[in-house]
Amino acid sequence: MREKATGRMVLGAGEVEYRWEPRGGPVVLVFHGGHLRAGLPLGEEVYREAGCSLLVPSRPGYGATPVTTAPAPGAFADAAAELCARLGVRRVAACVGVSAGGPTALAMAARHPELVERLVLESAVGPLPWPGRRTAAVGRLLFGPRVEALTWGLSGCWCTAPRGWPCGCCCAT
């Protein structure tokens, strides 16, 4: 994978590394997840092929963006909005949150609705704790290493039960 040219800008929150690929098309702002930085264009092909301009900042602690630069998702969303303003980006056609970039993309859309037209989440981590305690306990019970095969086997029986069986699945009448 070939790295793209990146730049750095000192904003109110601190220094941010970014990649700006203007193509004349609508701007897509991408917040990558862990282990990626602005110079690594992983998963952006669809936007590039559509002729979109890409703005990709490195999250705090990745690339040349120090971990001290706006470390919370809301604060980094504000820094990204300032970056957009400094680069002359008035509207973002899509704000994309990939994996751990999801909370920042959500914060960006919520805090800067005048800037963000739409939100795209790709396998994104959410800001809320999930699953809840009860769901996690039931999941461990039903899908633990010793009983997972039995759980899936029983669910297969329910879905193939003859019509009229009181199994409670979608196939029952």
Side-chain angles (χ1 to χ4, degrees):
M1 180 178 341
R2 198 173 135 246
E3 284 203 27
K4 302 287 184 174
T6 59
R8 295 180 189 180
M9 188 177 294
V10 177
L11 305 170
E15 186 174 21
V16 173
E17 176 186 52
Y18 66 94
R19 178 169 32 94
W20 174 227
E21 295 180 25
R23 289 188 172 73
V27 177
V28 174
L29 173 62
V30 180
F31 293 106
H32 281 297
H35 310 295
L36 287 178
R37 60 186 183 278
L40 299 172
L42 185 65
E44 301 167 2
E45 298 82 12
V46 67
Y47 307 113
R48 196 173 286 107
E49 288 170 5
C52 296
S53 298
L54 290 169
L55 177 56
V56 186
S58 291
R59 291 187 316 128
Y62 294 89
T65 302
V67 72
T68 55
T69 297
F76 194 62
D78 294 344
E82 182 184 350
L83 178 64
C84 286
R86 296 258 197 107
L87 293 173
V89 174
R90 299 177 110 140
R91 191 84 172 136
V92 174
C95 179
V96 180
V98 182
S99 189
T104 304
L106 284 167
M108 184 76 177
R111 294 167 77 115
H112 303 281
E114 73 290 346
L115 181 62
V116 178
E117 188 174 327
R118 68 183 54 84
L119 174 66
V120 177
L121 300 175
E122 298 177 6
S123 298
V125 173
L128 302 176
W130 190 90
R133 238 186 223 156
R134 188 180 209 168
T135 303
V138 170
R140 281 191 300 275
L141 178 68
L142 293 176
F143 296 100
R146 293 189 177 123
V147 294
E148 181 179 16
L150 177 64
T151 300
W152 285 116
L154 288 174
S155 70
C157 290
W158 292 331
C159 291
T160 58
R163 283 199 169 287
W165 278 32
C167 63
C169 75
C170 60
C171 300
T173 56

